[in-house]
Amino acid sequence: MSSGAVKVWYLVHKWTSLVCTLFLLMLCITGLPLIFHEEIDHLLEGERPLPAVEAGAPSKTLEDALDTALARFPGTIPLFMSFDEDQPVVNVTTGPRPRSTVDEMNFISIHRPTAEPVRTPDDEGVMHFILQLHTDMFLGLGGELFLGFMGFLFFVAIVSGVVVYAPFMRKLRFGTVRVSRNSRAKWLDTHNLLGIVTLMWASVVGLTGVVNTLSTPLVDLWRADQLSEMVAPYEGKPVPTAFSSLDDAVATAMAAAPGTTPQFVAFPGVRFSSNHHYAVWLRGATPATKQLHTPALIDAETGALTEMRSMPWYMTVLRLSQPLHFGDYGGLPMKVLWALLDIAAIVILGSGLYLWLARRSLPAPGTRHAHEELLPQAGPAE
Protein backbone atom coordinates (compact mmCIF):
# COMPACT_ATOMS: atom_id res chain seq x y z
CA MET A 1 0.00 0.00 0.00
CA SER A 2 1.34 3.42 -0.92
CA SER A 3 2.24 5.95 1.75
CA GLY A 4 -0.52 8.23 0.48
CA ALA A 5 -3.16 5.52 0.96
CA VAL A 6 -1.86 4.79 4.44
CA LYS A 7 -2.13 8.49 5.29
CA VAL A 8 -5.76 8.58 4.10
CA TRP A 9 -6.61 5.54 6.20
CA TYR A 10 -4.81 7.12 9.14
CA LEU A 11 -6.92 10.29 8.84
CA VAL A 12 -10.10 8.20 8.62
CA HIS A 13 -9.04 6.30 11.72
CA LYS A 14 -8.11 9.45 13.58
CA TRP A 15 -11.29 11.42 12.99
CA THR A 16 -13.82 8.60 13.28
CA SER A 17 -12.20 7.67 16.59
CA LEU A 18 -12.16 11.23 17.87
CA VAL A 19 -15.84 11.77 17.09
CA CYS A 20 -17.10 8.59 18.76
CA THR A 21 -14.61 7.95 21.60
CA LEU A 22 -16.42 9.76 24.43
CA PHE A 23 -19.78 8.23 23.52
CA LEU A 24 -18.21 4.78 23.17
CA LEU A 25 -16.61 5.21 26.60
CA MET A 26 -20.05 5.97 28.04
CA LEU A 27 -21.52 2.91 26.31
CA CYS A 28 -18.73 0.62 27.54
CA ILE A 29 -18.94 1.90 31.12
CA THR A 30 -22.75 1.61 31.27
CA GLY A 31 -22.66 -1.67 29.37
CA LEU A 32 -20.49 -3.31 32.02
CA PRO A 33 -23.21 -3.54 34.73
CA LEU A 34 -25.83 -4.30 32.07
CA ILE A 35 -23.97 -7.50 31.20
CA PHE A 36 -24.83 -8.70 34.70
CA HIS A 37 -28.26 -7.06 34.92
CA GLU A 38 -30.01 -10.25 36.02
CA GLU A 39 -27.50 -10.91 38.79
CA ILE A 40 -27.55 -7.26 39.93
CA ASP A 41 -31.36 -7.13 39.93
CA HIS A 42 -31.43 -10.29 42.03
CA LEU A 43 -28.90 -8.80 44.45
CA LEU A 44 -30.75 -5.48 44.77
CA GLU A 45 -34.27 -6.89 44.94
CA GLY A 46 -33.57 -10.18 46.70
CA GLU A 47 -35.31 -13.46 46.06
CA ARG A 48 -38.79 -12.98 44.68
CA PRO A 49 -41.08 -14.77 47.19
CA LEU A 50 -43.67 -16.98 45.53
CA PRO A 51 -46.95 -17.90 47.26
CA ALA A 52 -47.23 -21.41 48.66
CA VAL A 53 -49.29 -23.85 46.62
CA GLU A 54 -51.53 -26.15 48.61
CA ALA A 55 -51.33 -29.82 47.72
CA GLY A 56 -54.16 -30.82 45.41
CA ALA A 57 -55.28 -27.24 44.82
CA PRO A 58 -56.45 -26.65 41.23
CA SER A 59 -54.09 -24.48 39.19
CA LYS A 60 -55.41 -21.09 38.20
CA THR A 61 -55.81 -20.03 34.58
CA LEU A 62 -54.36 -17.14 32.61
CA GLU A 63 -57.82 -15.55 32.81
CA ASP A 64 -57.56 -15.67 36.60
CA ALA A 65 -54.17 -13.98 36.52
CA LEU A 66 -55.59 -11.32 34.19
CA ASP A 67 -58.54 -10.73 36.52
CA THR A 68 -56.11 -10.21 39.42
CA ALA A 69 -54.19 -7.57 37.47
CA LEU A 70 -57.37 -5.73 36.38
CA ALA A 71 -58.66 -5.76 39.93
CA ARG A 72 -55.40 -4.18 41.10
CA PHE A 73 -55.75 -1.39 38.50
CA PRO A 74 -59.47 -0.60 38.16
CA GLY A 75 -60.61 1.21 35.03
CA THR A 76 -57.81 -0.18 32.86
CA ILE A 77 -57.74 -2.75 30.06
CA PRO A 78 -55.17 -5.49 29.35
CA LEU A 79 -52.40 -4.59 26.92
CA PHE A 80 -49.72 -7.29 27.25
CA MET A 81 -49.08 -10.48 29.15
CA SER A 82 -45.51 -11.86 29.14
CA PHE A 83 -44.29 -15.20 30.45
CA ASP A 84 -41.32 -15.50 32.81
CA GLU A 85 -38.71 -17.99 31.59
CA ASP A 86 -37.48 -19.10 35.01
CA GLN A 87 -40.53 -19.00 37.27
CA PRO A 88 -44.27 -19.77 37.01
CA VAL A 89 -45.02 -16.06 36.73
CA VAL A 90 -46.77 -13.88 34.16
CA ASN A 91 -46.23 -10.13 33.90
CA VAL A 92 -49.34 -8.15 33.00
CA THR A 93 -49.38 -4.66 31.52
CA THR A 94 -52.59 -2.62 31.66
CA GLY A 95 -53.53 0.89 30.60
CA PRO A 96 -56.52 3.22 30.15
CA ARG A 97 -56.70 2.54 26.38
CA PRO A 98 -55.10 0.24 23.77
CA ARG A 99 -52.46 2.79 22.64
CA SER A 100 -51.49 3.94 26.12
CA THR A 101 -48.15 5.65 26.58
CA VAL A 102 -45.47 4.08 28.78
CA ASP A 103 -46.20 6.63 31.51
CA GLU A 104 -49.86 5.56 31.53
CA MET A 105 -49.14 1.83 31.76
CA ASN A 106 -49.30 -0.29 34.91
CA PHE A 107 -47.16 -3.40 35.44
CA ILE A 108 -47.68 -6.30 37.83
CA SER A 109 -46.35 -9.85 38.18
CA ILE A 110 -48.80 -12.66 38.92
CA HIS A 111 -48.04 -16.16 40.26
CA ARG A 112 -49.69 -18.51 37.75
CA PRO A 113 -50.60 -21.44 40.07
CA THR A 114 -52.37 -19.18 42.59
CA ALA A 115 -53.18 -16.05 40.54
CA GLU A 116 -51.79 -13.99 43.42
CA PRO A 117 -49.73 -10.83 42.82
CA VAL A 118 -46.01 -11.27 43.40
CA ARG A 119 -44.47 -7.86 42.91
CA THR A 120 -44.93 -4.77 40.82
CA PRO A 121 -41.66 -4.42 38.84
CA ASP A 122 -39.53 -1.42 39.76
CA ASP A 123 -38.92 0.69 36.67
CA GLU A 124 -37.27 3.53 38.58
CA GLY A 125 -34.19 1.75 39.95
CA VAL A 126 -30.53 2.29 39.19
CA MET A 127 -30.44 -0.43 36.52
CA HIS A 128 -33.34 1.20 34.69
CA PHE A 129 -31.43 4.51 34.73
CA ILE A 130 -28.27 2.84 33.38
CA LEU A 131 -30.25 1.05 30.66
CA GLN A 132 -31.91 4.25 29.48
CA LEU A 133 -28.58 6.07 29.41
CA HIS A 134 -27.04 3.21 27.43
CA THR A 135 -29.83 2.86 24.88
CA ASP A 136 -30.89 6.43 24.08
CA MET A 137 -29.37 8.88 26.63
CA PHE A 138 -32.98 9.74 27.64
CA LEU A 139 -33.55 11.25 24.18
CA GLY A 140 -35.90 8.63 22.72
CA LEU A 141 -35.59 7.55 19.10
CA GLY A 142 -33.28 10.44 18.24
CA GLY A 143 -30.85 9.34 20.93
CA GLU A 144 -30.99 5.73 19.73
CA LEU A 145 -30.21 6.69 16.14
CA PHE A 146 -27.41 9.03 17.24
CA LEU A 147 -25.76 6.25 19.25
CA GLY A 148 -26.25 3.95 16.27
CA PHE A 149 -24.27 6.40 14.14
CA MET A 150 -21.55 6.49 16.80
CA GLY A 151 -21.46 2.69 16.62
CA PHE A 152 -21.06 2.86 12.86
CA LEU A 153 -18.14 5.30 13.24
CA PHE A 154 -16.63 2.91 15.79
CA PHE A 155 -16.73 0.08 13.25
CA VAL A 156 -15.09 2.31 10.61
CA ALA A 157 -12.41 3.18 13.19
CA ILE A 158 -11.80 -0.54 13.78
CA VAL A 159 -11.40 -1.30 10.08
CA SER A 160 -9.15 1.71 9.43
CA GLY A 161 -7.15 0.89 12.57
CA VAL A 162 -6.35 -2.57 11.19
CA VAL A 163 -5.18 -1.05 7.91
CA VAL A 164 -2.96 1.46 9.74
CA TYR A 165 -1.67 -1.25 12.10
CA ALA A 166 -0.29 -3.45 9.28
CA PRO A 167 2.74 -1.29 8.34
CA PHE A 168 3.36 -0.54 12.01
CA MET A 169 3.73 -4.28 12.73
CA ARG A 170 6.49 -4.66 10.16
CA LYS A 171 8.77 -2.78 12.57
CA LEU A 172 7.79 -4.69 15.74
CA ARG A 173 6.96 -8.25 16.69
CA PHE A 174 3.33 -8.98 17.50
CA GLY A 175 2.60 -8.29 21.15
CA THR A 176 5.63 -6.08 21.71
CA VAL A 177 5.19 -3.40 24.36
CA ARG A 178 8.19 -1.07 24.47
CA VAL A 179 8.43 -0.66 28.22
CA SER A 180 11.89 0.92 27.94
CA ARG A 181 10.58 3.82 25.82
CA ASN A 182 8.61 6.83 26.95
CA SER A 183 5.08 6.65 28.35
CA ARG A 184 3.46 7.49 25.05
CA ALA A 185 5.23 4.63 23.24
CA LYS A 186 4.17 2.15 25.94
CA TRP A 187 0.56 3.24 25.72
CA LEU A 188 0.67 3.16 21.93
CA ASP A 189 1.89 -0.45 21.96
CA THR A 190 -0.67 -1.42 24.62
CA HIS A 191 -3.42 0.30 22.65
CA ASN A 192 -2.48 -1.47 19.43
CA LEU A 193 -2.12 -4.88 21.09
CA LEU A 194 -5.49 -4.73 22.87
CA GLY A 195 -7.11 -3.41 19.70
CA ILE A 196 -5.98 -6.41 17.65
CA VAL A 197 -6.77 -8.94 20.39
CA THR A 198 -10.33 -7.65 20.80
CA LEU A 199 -10.85 -6.98 17.09
CA MET A 200 -13.56 -9.59 16.41
CA TRP A 201 -15.39 -9.00 19.69
CA ALA A 202 -15.41 -5.21 19.23
CA SER A 203 -16.70 -5.61 15.66
CA VAL A 204 -19.51 -7.94 16.75
CA VAL A 205 -20.58 -5.79 19.72
CA GLY A 206 -20.34 -2.60 17.67
CA LEU A 207 -22.42 -3.91 14.77
CA THR A 208 -25.04 -5.58 16.98
CA GLY A 209 -25.29 -2.33 18.90
CA VAL A 210 -26.00 -0.49 15.66
CA VAL A 211 -28.70 -3.03 14.77
CA ASN A 212 -30.29 -2.66 18.21
CA THR A 213 -30.59 1.11 17.79
CA LEU A 214 -32.74 0.42 14.71
CA SER A 215 -35.29 -1.54 16.74
CA THR A 216 -38.09 1.02 16.49
CA PRO A 217 -37.78 1.62 12.71
CA LEU A 218 -37.53 -2.13 12.05
CA VAL A 219 -40.61 -2.89 14.15
CA ASP A 220 -42.51 -0.11 12.39
CA LEU A 221 -41.43 -1.59 9.03
CA TRP A 222 -42.68 -5.03 10.12
CA ARG A 223 -46.02 -3.58 11.21
CA ALA A 224 -46.47 -1.67 7.94
CA ASP A 225 -45.40 -4.62 5.80
CA GLN A 226 -46.09 -8.00 7.41
CA LEU A 227 -48.64 -7.25 10.11
CA SER A 228 -50.81 -5.14 7.80
CA GLU A 229 -51.00 -8.10 5.38
CA MET A 230 -51.86 -10.52 8.18
CA VAL A 231 -54.79 -8.42 9.46
CA ALA A 232 -56.01 -7.08 6.10
CA PRO A 233 -59.19 -9.25 6.07
CA TYR A 234 -60.19 -7.73 9.41
CA GLU A 235 -59.53 -4.10 8.51
CA GLY A 236 -62.18 -1.80 9.90
CA LYS A 237 -63.61 -4.30 12.37
CA PRO A 238 -63.99 -2.89 15.89
CA VAL A 239 -62.60 -4.40 19.07
CA PRO A 240 -64.95 -7.26 20.10
CA THR A 241 -67.32 -6.66 22.96
CA ALA A 242 -66.98 -10.28 24.13
CA PHE A 243 -63.65 -12.13 24.09
CA SER A 244 -62.89 -15.80 23.63
CA SER A 245 -60.75 -17.62 26.22
CA LEU A 246 -57.22 -16.33 26.60
CA ASP A 247 -56.02 -19.78 27.70
CA ASP A 248 -57.55 -21.37 24.60
CA ALA A 249 -55.91 -18.72 22.38
CA VAL A 250 -52.45 -19.52 23.77
CA ALA A 251 -53.11 -23.29 23.48
CA THR A 252 -54.27 -22.89 19.86
CA ALA A 253 -51.15 -20.95 18.92
CA MET A 254 -48.84 -23.50 20.57
CA ALA A 255 -50.64 -26.38 18.85
CA ALA A 256 -50.02 -24.71 15.48
CA ALA A 257 -46.28 -24.48 16.20
CA PRO A 258 -45.18 -27.59 18.13
CA GLY A 259 -42.01 -27.21 20.16
CA THR A 260 -42.57 -23.54 20.96
CA THR A 261 -43.44 -21.71 24.16
CA PRO A 262 -45.31 -18.41 24.57
CA GLN A 263 -43.26 -15.28 25.08
CA PHE A 264 -46.03 -12.71 25.32
CA VAL A 265 -49.61 -11.97 24.29
CA ALA A 266 -50.57 -8.64 22.74
CA PHE A 267 -54.25 -7.90 23.34
CA PRO A 268 -56.62 -6.43 20.72
CA GLY A 269 -55.88 -2.83 19.77
CA VAL A 270 -52.21 -2.62 20.75
CA ARG A 271 -49.45 -1.95 18.23
CA PHE A 272 -48.30 -5.58 18.04
CA SER A 273 -51.76 -6.90 17.25
CA SER A 274 -54.98 -5.72 15.56
CA ASN A 275 -58.35 -4.55 16.82
CA HIS A 276 -59.71 -8.06 16.43
CA HIS A 277 -56.92 -10.40 17.51
CA TYR A 278 -54.91 -11.81 20.31
CA ALA A 279 -51.33 -11.79 18.96
CA VAL A 280 -49.62 -14.75 20.65
CA TRP A 281 -45.86 -14.44 20.20
CA LEU A 282 -44.11 -17.81 20.35
CA ARG A 283 -40.42 -18.61 20.74
CA GLY A 284 -38.34 -21.74 20.34
CA ALA A 285 -37.91 -23.90 23.40
CA THR A 286 -34.15 -24.48 22.98
CA PRO A 287 -31.25 -22.07 23.64
CA ALA A 288 -30.58 -21.97 19.88
CA THR A 289 -34.15 -21.08 18.90
CA LYS A 290 -35.59 -19.11 21.79
CA GLN A 291 -34.63 -15.82 20.13
CA LEU A 292 -36.59 -16.73 16.98
CA HIS A 293 -40.15 -15.47 17.37
CA THR A 294 -43.30 -16.42 15.48
CA PRO A 295 -46.49 -14.34 15.86
CA ALA A 296 -49.80 -16.18 15.72
CA LEU A 297 -53.02 -14.17 15.30
CA ILE A 298 -56.01 -15.63 17.13
CA ASP A 299 -59.49 -14.23 16.46
CA ALA A 300 -60.39 -12.68 19.82
CA GLU A 301 -64.10 -13.30 19.17
CA THR A 302 -64.10 -16.90 17.91
CA GLY A 303 -60.75 -18.21 19.18
CA ALA A 304 -59.75 -19.43 15.69
CA LEU A 305 -56.21 -19.20 14.32
CA THR A 306 -56.33 -16.79 11.39
CA GLU A 307 -52.65 -16.27 10.49
CA MET A 308 -49.17 -17.34 11.50
CA ARG A 309 -45.91 -16.56 9.74
CA SER A 310 -42.21 -16.45 10.49
CA MET A 311 -40.56 -13.12 11.08
CA PRO A 312 -38.73 -11.56 8.09
CA TRP A 313 -34.95 -11.62 7.94
CA TYR A 314 -34.47 -8.12 9.34
CA MET A 315 -36.49 -8.92 12.47
CA THR A 316 -34.55 -12.17 12.90
CA VAL A 317 -31.28 -10.21 12.71
CA LEU A 318 -32.64 -7.80 15.33
CA ARG A 319 -33.69 -10.58 17.68
CA LEU A 320 -30.35 -12.38 17.40
CA SER A 321 -28.41 -9.14 17.87
CA GLN A 322 -29.98 -8.20 21.19
CA PRO A 323 -28.64 -11.04 23.41
CA LEU A 324 -25.35 -11.26 21.49
CA HIS A 325 -24.67 -7.59 22.24
CA PHE A 326 -24.71 -8.28 26.00
CA GLY A 327 -23.30 -11.82 25.92
CA ASP A 328 -26.55 -13.47 27.03
CA TYR A 329 -26.10 -16.67 25.02
CA GLY A 330 -23.67 -18.67 27.17
CA GLY A 331 -24.66 -18.06 30.78
CA LEU A 332 -22.33 -16.61 33.42
CA PRO A 333 -19.00 -17.74 31.82
CA MET A 334 -19.79 -15.83 28.63
CA LYS A 335 -20.90 -12.81 30.64
CA VAL A 336 -17.55 -12.81 32.48
CA LEU A 337 -15.72 -13.02 29.15
CA TRP A 338 -17.85 -10.16 27.76
CA ALA A 339 -17.05 -8.08 30.87
CA LEU A 340 -13.28 -8.64 30.51
CA LEU A 341 -13.41 -7.66 26.86
CA ASP A 342 -15.51 -4.62 27.76
CA ILE A 343 -12.84 -3.52 30.25
CA ALA A 344 -10.22 -3.98 27.53
CA ALA A 345 -12.31 -1.77 25.25
CA ILE A 346 -12.42 0.93 27.94
CA VAL A 347 -8.60 0.81 28.12
CA ILE A 348 -8.37 1.01 24.32
CA LEU A 349 -10.66 4.04 24.12
CA GLY A 350 -9.01 5.78 27.07
CA SER A 351 -5.51 5.16 25.76
CA GLY A 352 -6.50 6.38 22.30
CA LEU A 353 -7.74 9.62 23.81
CA TYR A 354 -4.52 9.93 25.83
CA LEU A 355 -2.36 9.34 22.75
CA TRP A 356 -4.13 12.11 20.87
CA LEU A 357 -3.84 14.56 23.77
CA ALA A 358 -0.19 13.63 24.38
CA ARG A 359 0.75 14.14 20.74
CA ARG A 360 -0.49 17.73 20.89
CA SER A 361 2.27 18.46 23.44
CA LEU A 362 5.15 16.74 21.57
CA PRO A 363 8.52 18.54 21.21
CA ALA A 364 8.94 20.53 18.03
CA PRO A 365 10.73 18.75 15.16
CA GLY A 366 14.50 18.89 15.57
CA THR A 367 14.46 19.15 19.36
CA ARG A 368 15.75 16.51 21.76
CA HIS A 369 13.64 13.31 21.87
CA ALA A 370 11.51 14.44 18.95
CA HIS A 371 12.95 11.55 16.87
CA GLU A 372 11.34 9.03 19.27
CA GLU A 373 7.92 9.94 17.91
CA LEU A 374 8.79 9.30 14.25
CA LEU A 375 7.83 5.62 14.34
CA PRO A 376 4.62 4.77 12.42
CA GLN A 377 1.66 5.78 14.54
CA ALA A 378 -1.53 3.74 14.93
CA GLY A 379 -3.34 5.27 17.88
CA PRO A 380 -7.08 5.41 17.18
CA ALA A 381 -7.43 8.92 18.39
CA GLU A 382 -4.24 10.42 17.07
Side-chain angles (χ1 to χ4, degrees):
M1 185 182 297
S2 67
S3 60
V6 172
K7 184 175 181 180
V8 170
W9 278 107
Y10 167 74
L11 291 174
V12 170
H13 183 63
K14 171 184 176 180
W15 290 109
T16 54
S17 299
L18 278 175
V19 170
C20 73
T21 289
L22 291 179
F23 295 100
L24 263 296
L25 272 172
M26 181 274 292
L27 291 174
C28 287
I29 292 170
T30 56
L32 193 57
L34 291 175
I35 295 172
F36 301 101
H37 67 95
E38 293 177 348
E39 291 78 7
I40 294 175
D41 286 339
H42 179 78
L43 181 65
L44 294 177
E45 299 178 8
E47 187 72 29
R48 174 185 288 181
L50 297 179
V53 180
E54 296 182 7
S59 183
K60 299 293 185 177
T61 65
L62 296 178
E63 296 278 1
D64 294 327
L66 188 60
D67 290 340
T68 299
L70 294 176
R72 178 61 65 92
F73 303 109
T76 63
I77 61 174
L79 304 178
F80 300 98
M81 175 182 285
S82 65
F83 296 78
D84 195 296
E85 286 188 65
D86 304 316
Q87 300 183 93
V89 169
V90 292
N91 305 295
V92 180
T93 303
T94 71
R97 56 185 179 277
R99 297 300 175 92
S100 299
T101 65
V102 173
D103 292 337
E104 295 173 326
M105 293 178 181
N106 307 293
F107 307 89
I108 190 170
S109 298
I110 308 294
H111 185 225
R112 289 187 63 179
T114 62
E116 294 181 17
V118 179
R119 175 181 294 174
T120 301
D122 179 13
D123 280 335
E124 301 299 332
V126 62
M127 293 305 294
H128 176 72
F129 175 87
I130 293 174
L131 178 62
Q132 286 297 109
L133 180 60
H134 185 87
T135 53
D136 62 13
M137 300 186 298
F138 302 96
L139 298 174
L141 179 59
E144 290 182 15
L145 297 178
F146 175 79
L147 290 178
F149 181 62
M150 292 299 103
F152 171 74
L153 292 182
F154 178 55
F155 181 71
V156 174
I158 291 173
V159 173
S160 57
V162 172
V163 176
V164 172
Y165 186 61
F168 180 83
M169 279 304 297
R170 286 198 288 267
K171 291 183 174 290
L172 296 172
R173 288 184 177 183
F174 177 79
T176 298
V177 177
R178 295 168 291 175
V179 295
S180 62
R181 301 292 295 274
N182 58 31
S183 176
R184 186 174 184 278
K186 288 184 289 187
W187 275 110
L188 176 61
D189 294 341
T190 302
H191 175 87
N192 291 337
L193 175 61
L194 290 177
I196 290 298
V197 169
T198 62
L199 173 66
M200 290 304 299
W201 173 85
S203 299
V204 168
V205 171
L207 289 177
T208 54
V210 172
V211 172
N212 288 340
T213 64
L214 300 176
S215 174
T216 299
L218 290 178
V219 169
D220 288 342
L221 174 61
W222 174 81
R223 291 178 60 235
D225 177 26
Q226 302 285 309
L227 183 60
S228 61
E229 290 182 7
M230 295 169 70
V231 303
Y234 293 82
E235 187 175 359
K237 285 193 174 184
V239 176
T241 56
F243 293 90
S244 60
S245 167
L246 175 60
D247 294 84
D248 290 346
V250 173
T252 298
M254 293 177 64
T260 62
T261 59
Q263 186 202 21
F264 73 92
V265 177
F267 287 84
V270 304
R271 64 193 299 259
F272 289 96
S273 183
S274 76
N275 283 345
H276 207 76
H277 291 91
Y278 294 119
V280 182
W281 288 71
L282 304 167
R283 62 182 164 203
T286 67
T289 61
K290 72 177 184 178
Q291 299 300 329
L292 304 178
H293 295 172
T294 303
L297 295 183
I298 309 296
D299 190 309
E301 199 166 38
T302 67
L305 174 68
T306 65
E307 180 71 271
M308 173 184 283
R309 64 173 66 178
S310 299
M311 298 296 279
W313 67 268
Y314 53 86
M315 290 298 291
T316 299
V317 170
L318 174 63
R319 287 300 308 161
L320 294 176
S321 294
Q322 290 171 341
L324 184 58
H325 185 70
F326 290 109
D328 282 348
Y329 276 117
L332 186 59
M334 188 169 180
K335 290 183 178 182
V336 172
L337 175 62
W338 243 236
L340 293 174
L341 291 168
D342 186 270
I343 293 171
I346 293 174
V347 175
I348 293 168
L349 293 166
S351 60
L353 190 59
Y354 161 76
L355 290 169
W356 178 73
L357 293 173
R359 188 171 189 181
R360 296 173 66 87
S361 59
L362 289 179
T367 61
R368 187 171 180 264
H369 301 308
H371 66 281
E372 295 182 355
E373 306 299 334
L374 297 180
L375 288 173
Q377 303 298 317
E382 292 190 81

